[in-house]
Amino acid sequence: MQAINQGREELFEELVLRYQDRLYNFGLRICKDSRDAEDLVQETFINIFRYMSGFRHESLFRNWVYRIAVSVCIKMRRRSKYAPERELSLEDVIPGDAAEAPEELPQWAKEPVDRLLNEELGARIKAAIDELPPTYRLVVVLRDMEDFSTEETARILDISQANVKVRLHRARFSIRETLKGYFSHEPS
């Protein structure tokens, strides 16, 4: 950081390489759309570059990066609230050559049952997280997926540690309730 601030801007690329995948995955979990996740990453790095000289080393650099990403996410959500819904194009719905039939077995037919069940459970957990209100989803992603501590999450979101714990508890309860039907075994 100090070297970049002293004019060695070529080192900024190293920061981008170090954080771009993590921020993209974070953005994908929060925004639920790959284009929005890409925008989040780009906006975050623009803001990092813009405000780098103001970084006071009072917190970890990683925490500062995620605080910027959360801020970008909140601004994007506000903008999208008033934006028109995205329309699907015909290309999004129909494959390139609809007449073309697959010649081999689909991948899922080749995979062991355990792997399919794990993928199904993973998809259900992801869907349950996606259904959470944004304030709860942010806490779950930061604490349980990005491995930030309660204290770090509180600093990133600019809320109290008690508030982080409450939101995390409510989010986990909601996820558990959503998944309850998946784990219940009713005789057919």
Side-chain angles (χ1 to χ4, degrees), residues 77-185:
R77 193 175 323 123
R78 284 185 193 136
R79 272 186 258 143
S80 68
K81 186 191 295 188
Y82 302 106
E85 289 290 317
R86 287 193 175 132
E87 295 180 18
L88 288 176
S89 70
L90 196 54
E91 289 80 27
D92 291 337
V93 179
I94 299 174
D97 187 1
E100 211 175 276
E103 293 181 13
E104 61 181 65
L105 285 174
Q107 187 63 34
W108 62 265
K110 299 176 187 176
E111 295 178 355
V113 174
D114 288 343
R115 183 170 177 186
L116 287 174
L117 291 175
N118 286 339
E119 287 176 5
E120 180 183 350
L121 177 58
R124 291 199 183 232
I125 291 170
K126 182 188 179 310
I129 292 170
D130 288 349
E131 290 175 13
L132 291 172
T135 53
Y136 293 169
R137 191 170 57 245
L138 270 171
V139 171
V140 166
V141 169
L142 289 170
R143 282 282 288 121
D144 292 344
M145 301 169 119
E146 298 293 334
D147 295 325
F148 283 100
S149 69
T150 300
E151 182 182 350
E152 290 170 325
T153 302
R155 285 187 186 150
I156 290 168
L157 297 176
D158 198 25
I159 59 176
S160 70
Q161 289 184 43
N163 202 333
V164 168
K165 291 176 184 178
V166 167
R167 289 181 187 185
L168 187 60
H169 174 74
R170 289 178 180 168
R172 287 176 177 166
F173 180 78
S174 177
I175 292 168
R176 187 172 31 248
E177 288 298 306
T178 301
L179 295 175
K180 192 186 290 184
Y182 179 76
F183 289 108
S184 68
H185 300 295

Side-chain angles (χ1 to χ4, degrees), residues 44-58:
T44 299
F45 282 119
I46 288 170
N47 285 327
I48 289 169
F49 190 77
R50 182 180 297 149
Y51 300 113
M52 191 176 307
S53 63
F55 178 62
R56 296 184 304 258
H57 304 280
E58 293 172 355

Side-chain angles (χ1 to χ4, degrees), residues 21-31 40 66 69-70 73 138 141-142 146:
D21 291 342
R22 290 185 220 167
L23 287 174
Y24 177 78
N25 289 329
F26 172 76
L28 204 52
R29 290 177 184 128
I30 298 301
C31 302
L40 178 127
Y66 276 85
V70 166
C73 178
L138 270 171
V141 169
L142 289 170
E146 298 293 334

